[in-house]
Amino acid sequence: MATQIVMDHTGDSRHFFDQTDPEGLAKAERRFKKLTGQGFIAAIRTADGDLKVVRTLDSTADETLFYPRLVGG
């Protein structure tokens, strides 16, 4: 079971999906495109434990973290 974690001003929300289920994967892909289209940054954890920014859904990743872009002022 994979997880998409969305961070925002209210905290975080988690969306779970089965990577082997075509319907669940399609829903995760739509969520990925919607969030990145709204300006969220998507990142996955590498085998070394570091975060790596991704531009497309990696269906093999156990976790994808979405966080809003920081805006300076």
Side-chain angles (χ1 to χ4, degrees):
M1 188 70 63
T3 310
Q4 291 177 317
I5 304 169
V6 183
M7 307 293 293
D8 63 18
H9 68 282
T10 64
D12 69 89
S13 57
R14 294 170 186 261
H15 306 274
F16 302 96
F17 66 98
D18 182 349
Q19 297 151 304
T20 62
D21 174 38
E23 186 177 324
L25 198 54
K27 187 173 181 181
E29 177 75 30
R30 286 191 300 273
R31 185 179 300 112
F32 185 99
K33 288 179 179 179
K34 177 182 176 188
L35 290 168
T36 55
Q38 292 175 346
F40 281 80
I41 304 295
I44 60 172
R45 192 165 309 279
T46 66
D48 296 333
D50 298 322
L51 287 178
K52 174 186 171 187
V53 173
V54 293
R55 306 274 185 237
T56 59
L57 178 68
D58 180 349
S59 62
T60 64
D62 289 330
E63 274 187 0
T64 304
L65 174 66
F66 296 89
Y67 56 95
R69 289 188 180 139
L70 297 177
V71 177

